[in-house]
Amino acid sequence: SQWILVESSMEQMITRPAQAGLIFRENILPIMTNLGRSLQEMEKQRRDLSSKRIKDIHKAVGLAHRRLAIFFVLLVLSAGLLVWMMRHYLLRPLKLLSEATDLVAQGEFNHEIPVGHNDEMGNLIRNFNGMNRRLGDLEQMKKEFLSMVSHEMRTPLTLIQSHMGALSGEEVPLS
């Protein structure tokens, strides 16, 4: 409807040039003023909307940063828990096995490692304990053998010494 008024006013200004200023002031100027106000309002709405969008974007970025920080904290805690579990589950039994191996190397065969696993690590510890028992049994058998041989060798040596002493005329004390 405003465009129709502008169009008819333009026609009147052409047909009545003497009254063109009055027609312009009364008909076209108010429309242009209203149009200017409308443009200013639209620009203000655009700025407000842009400002709101920027604030929304800042909120979203802030939320993303917080979530990312929480994710990294949880990631670090999970990694720490994983390291602790691996240390407890894998390294502790290996350390016990290493210490027991050092004891075996020193000749102590009575040390047994507790088996707390039902996997390859548990199997390794069970095999080590079995080997350790067998080595202990062999060590005990060696000691008993040496004791018996030593005892059995002492008797003939004592007899030989006493016979040699008798032949040489010396008295040899029996040990």
Side-chain angles (χ1 to χ4, degrees):
S1 77
Q2 290 182 350
W3 291 113
I4 294 172
L5 181 61
V6 168
E7 195 175 315
S8 69
S9 296
M10 295 293 282
E11 285 176 13
Q12 287 176 8
M13 286 171 52
I14 293 172
T15 58
R16 292 182 280 164
Q19 296 176 343
L22 180 67
I23 295 170
F24 181 79
R25 270 192 313 270
E26 288 179 356
N27 294 334
I28 296 178
L29 192 58
I31 291 173
M32 289 179 67
T33 305
N34 286 338
L35 183 60
R37 283 189 202 124
S38 296
L39 287 173
Q40 287 174 349
E41 287 175 14
M42 287 174 55
E43 177 62 23
K44 184 179 180 297
Q45 288 176 351
R46 185 194 63 78
R47 274 187 264 134
D48 291 345
L49 187 59
S50 294
S51 176
K52 185 179 182 302
R53 284 184 182 160
I54 289 172
K55 287 178 185 175
D56 289 345
I57 289 171
H58 282 292
K59 279 184 187 178
V61 168
L63 180 63
H65 282 163
R66 284 190 295 279
R67 286 182 178 168
L68 193 60
I70 290 169
F71 171 76
F72 279 121
V73 166
L74 290 176
L75 183 68
V76 167
L77 290 175
S78 298
L81 180 63
L82 184 64
V83 166
W84 178 81
M85 287 173 52
M86 286 186 64
R87 182 170 186 229
H88 181 73
Y89 189 75
L90 290 176
L91 297 180
R92 184 172 172 264
L94 284 176
K95 184 179 179 189
L96 290 174
L97 192 60
S98 177
E99 290 169 357
T101 304
D102 291 341
L103 291 174
V104 168
Q106 295 170 8
E108 294 182 32
F109 302 104
N110 58 354
H111 183 75
E112 189 163 314
I113 304 171
V115 180
H117 300 273
N118 288 327
D119 56 0
E120 290 82 8
M121 183 62 70
N123 194 26
L124 178 64
I125 292 172
R126 277 189 288 282
N127 288 341
F128 177 84
N129 287 338
M131 178 191 71
N132 195 23
R133 277 191 298 277
R134 286 190 294 280
L135 285 172
D137 292 346
L138 287 173
E139 183 67 20
Q140 185 61 34
M141 288 171 50
K142 180 177 102 175
K143 286 179 182 177
E144 289 173 4
F145 176 74
L146 288 176
S147 174
M148 285 185 346
V149 167
S150 173
H151 177 69
E152 293 298 324
M153 291 298 287
R154 223 178 278 152
T155 304
L157 286 176
T158 304
L159 284 174
I160 291 172
Q161 277 182 337
S162 67
H163 284 304
M164 284 180 59
L167 288 176
S168 68
E170 298 176 13
E171 253 184 63
V172 178
L174 294 176
S175 53

